[in-house]
PDB file of all heavy atoms in Angstrom:
ATOM      1  N   VAL X 395     -36.814   1.027  11.465  1.00  0.00           N
ATOM      2  CA  VAL X 395     -37.020   2.341  11.276  1.00  0.00           C
ATOM      3  C   VAL X 395     -37.838   2.785  12.568  1.00  0.00           C
ATOM      4  O   VAL X 395     -38.904   2.201  12.844  1.00  0.00           O
ATOM      5  CB  VAL X 395     -37.914   2.707  10.118  1.00  0.00           C
ATOM      6  CG1 VAL X 395     -38.326   4.209  10.171  1.00  0.00           C
ATOM      7  CG2 VAL X 395     -37.112   2.463   8.844  1.00  0.00           C
ATOM      8  N   ILE X 396     -37.329   3.781  13.364  1.00  0.00           N
ATOM      9  CA  ILE X 396     -37.988   4.248  14.480  1.00  0.00           C
ATOM     10  C   ILE X 396     -38.613   5.611  14.114  1.00  0.00           C
ATOM     11  O   ILE X 396     -38.010   6.452  13.397  1.00  0.00           O
ATOM     12  CB  ILE X 396     -36.943   4.588  15.594  1.00  0.00           C
ATOM     13  CG1 ILE X 396     -36.249   3.330  16.113  1.00  0.00           C
ATOM     14  CG2 ILE X 396     -37.635   5.171  16.742  1.00  0.00           C
ATOM     15  CD1 ILE X 396     -35.348   3.508  17.329  1.00  0.00           C
ATOM     16  N   THR X 397     -39.975   5.613  14.267  1.00  0.00           N
ATOM     17  CA  THR X 397     -40.703   6.891  13.937  1.00  0.00           C
ATOM     18  C   THR X 397     -40.986   7.678  15.177  1.00  0.00           C
ATOM     19  O   THR X 397     -41.516   7.120  16.238  1.00  0.00           O
ATOM     20  CB  THR X 397     -41.918   6.471  13.212  1.00  0.00           C
ATOM     21  OG1 THR X 397     -41.574   5.670  12.047  1.00  0.00           O
ATOM     22  CG2 THR X 397     -42.704   7.814  12.683  1.00  0.00           C
ATOM     23  N   LEU X 398     -40.751   8.858  15.064  1.00  0.00           N
ATOM     24  CA  LEU X 398     -41.011   9.753  16.315  1.00  0.00           C
ATOM     25  C   LEU X 398     -41.884  10.869  15.853  1.00  0.00           C
ATOM     26  O   LEU X 398     -41.457  11.851  15.121  1.00  0.00           O
ATOM     27  CB  LEU X 398     -39.807  10.335  16.863  1.00  0.00           C
ATOM     28  CG  LEU X 398     -38.582   9.516  17.340  1.00  0.00           C
ATOM     29  CD1 LEU X 398     -37.452  10.233  17.876  1.00  0.00           C
ATOM     30  CD2 LEU X 398     -39.182   8.468  18.597  1.00  0.00           C
ATOM     31  N   GLY X 399     -43.171  10.862  16.366  1.00  0.00           N
ATOM     32  CA  GLY X 399     -44.130  11.911  16.017  1.00  0.00           C
ATOM     33  C   GLY X 399     -44.637  12.539  17.341  1.00  0.00           C
ATOM     34  O   GLY X 399     -44.204  12.223  18.375  1.00  0.00           O
ATOM     35  N   ASP X 400     -45.698  13.287  17.274  1.00  0.00           N
ATOM     36  CA  ASP X 400     -46.121  13.965  18.540  1.00  0.00           C
ATOM     37  C   ASP X 400     -46.800  12.894  19.542  1.00  0.00           C
ATOM     38  O   ASP X 400     -46.455  13.095  20.758  1.00  0.00           O
ATOM     39  CB  ASP X 400     -47.359  14.902  18.160  1.00  0.00           C
ATOM     40  CG  ASP X 400     -46.943  16.154  17.387  1.00  0.00           C
ATOM     41  OD1 ASP X 400     -45.605  16.416  17.477  1.00  0.00           O
ATOM     42  OD2 ASP X 400     -47.675  16.790  16.721  1.00  0.00           O
ATOM     43  N   ASP X 401     -47.456  11.912  19.024  1.00  0.00           N
ATOM     44  CA  ASP X 401     -47.941  10.836  19.976  1.00  0.00           C
ATOM     45  C   ASP X 401     -46.845  10.194  20.732  1.00  0.00           C
ATOM     46  O   ASP X 401     -46.779   9.913  21.916  1.00  0.00           O
ATOM     47  CB  ASP X 401     -48.627   9.723  19.171  1.00  0.00           C
ATOM     48  CG  ASP X 401     -50.004  10.391  18.700  1.00  0.00           C
ATOM     49  OD1 ASP X 401     -50.325  11.479  19.092  1.00  0.00           O
ATOM     50  OD2 ASP X 401     -50.567   9.664  17.870  1.00  0.00           O
ATOM     51  N   GLU X 402     -45.779   9.839  19.988  1.00  0.00           N
ATOM     52  CA  GLU X 402     -44.545   9.133  20.522  1.00  0.00           C
ATOM     53  C   GLU X 402     -43.891  10.036  21.633  1.00  0.00           C
ATOM     54  O   GLU X 402     -43.610   9.479  22.725  1.00  0.00           O
ATOM     55  CB  GLU X 402     -43.593   8.696  19.475  1.00  0.00           C
ATOM     56  CG  GLU X 402     -43.981   7.583  18.629  1.00  0.00           C
ATOM     57  CD  GLU X 402     -44.940   7.892  17.420  1.00  0.00           C
ATOM     58  OE1 GLU X 402     -45.298   9.057  17.371  1.00  0.00           O
ATOM     59  OE2 GLU X 402     -45.552   7.020  16.841  1.00  0.00           O
ATOM     60  N   LEU X 403     -43.786  11.341  21.328  1.00  0.00           N
ATOM     61  CA  LEU X 403     -43.178  12.201  22.333  1.00  0.00           C
ATOM     62  C   LEU X 403     -44.053  12.208  23.552  1.00  0.00           C
ATOM     63  O   LEU X 403     -43.507  12.132  24.781  1.00  0.00           O
ATOM     64  CB  LEU X 403     -42.941  13.579  21.699  1.00  0.00           C
ATOM     65  CG  LEU X 403     -41.844  13.797  20.715  1.00  0.00           C
ATOM     66  CD1 LEU X 403     -41.573  15.376  20.382  1.00  0.00           C
ATOM     67  CD2 LEU X 403     -40.552  13.115  21.208  1.00  0.00           C
ATOM     68  N   ALA X 404     -45.413  12.307  23.363  1.00  0.00           N
ATOM     69  CA  ALA X 404     -46.296  12.452  24.469  1.00  0.00           C
ATOM     70  C   ALA X 404     -46.194  11.270  25.406  1.00  0.00           C
ATOM     71  O   ALA X 404     -46.156  11.336  26.545  1.00  0.00           O
ATOM     72  CB  ALA X 404     -47.626  12.732  24.002  1.00  0.00           C
ATOM     73  N   ASN X 405     -46.100  10.071  24.726  1.00  0.00           N
ATOM     74  CA  ASN X 405     -46.044   8.881  25.471  1.00  0.00           C
ATOM     75  C   ASN X 405     -44.646   8.308  25.935  1.00  0.00           C
ATOM     76  O   ASN X 405     -44.590   7.280  26.502  1.00  0.00           O
ATOM     77  CB  ASN X 405     -46.690   7.676  24.640  1.00  0.00           C
ATOM     78  CG  ASN X 405     -48.104   8.027  24.278  1.00  0.00           C
ATOM     79  OD1 ASN X 405     -48.822   8.839  24.927  1.00  0.00           O
ATOM     80  ND2 ASN X 405     -48.499   7.548  23.153  1.00  0.00           N
ATOM     81  N   GLN X 406     -43.724   9.131  25.262  1.00  0.00           N
ATOM     82  CA  GLN X 406     -42.290   8.684  25.604  1.00  0.00           C
ATOM     83  C   GLN X 406     -42.106   7.368  25.105  1.00  0.00           C
ATOM     84  O   GLN X 406     -41.450   6.380  25.728  1.00  0.00           O
ATOM     85  CB  GLN X 406     -41.923   8.930  27.115  1.00  0.00           C
ATOM     86  CG  GLN X 406     -41.940  10.173  27.585  1.00  0.00           C
ATOM     87  CD  GLN X 406     -40.651  10.991  27.100  1.00  0.00           C
ATOM     88  OE1 GLN X 406     -39.529  10.710  27.492  1.00  0.00           O
ATOM     89  NE2 GLN X 406     -40.895  11.942  26.257  1.00  0.00           N
ATOM     90  N   GLN X 407     -42.642   6.988  24.020  1.00  0.00           N
ATOM     91  CA  GLN X 407     -42.540   5.720  23.361  1.00  0.00           C
ATOM     92  C   GLN X 407     -42.017   5.729  21.864  1.00  0.00           C
ATOM     93  O   GLN X 407     -42.375   6.856  21.312  1.00  0.00           O
ATOM     94  CB  GLN X 407     -43.850   4.963  23.397  1.00  0.00           C
ATOM     95  CG  GLN X 407     -44.331   4.585  24.787  1.00  0.00           C
ATOM     96  CD  GLN X 407     -45.097   3.286  24.623  1.00  0.00           C
ATOM     97  OE1 GLN X 407     -45.791   2.974  23.716  1.00  0.00           O
ATOM     98  NE2 GLN X 407     -45.106   2.418  25.693  1.00  0.00           N
ATOM     99  N   ALA X 408     -41.303   4.781  21.463  1.00  0.00           N
ATOM    100  CA  ALA X 408     -40.777   4.855  20.079  1.00  0.00           C
ATOM    101  C   ALA X 408     -41.703   3.747  19.217  1.00  0.00           C
ATOM    102  O   ALA X 408     -41.863   2.684  19.710  1.00  0.00           O
ATOM    103  CB  ALA X 408     -39.358   4.592  19.905  1.00  0.00           C
TER     104      ALA X 408
END
Side-chain angles (χ1 to χ4, degrees):
V395 175
I396 297 181
T397 305
L398 301 179
D400 291 340
D401 289 349
E402 282 80 8
L403 284 190
N405 304 332
Q406 293 288 292
Q407 290 215 329

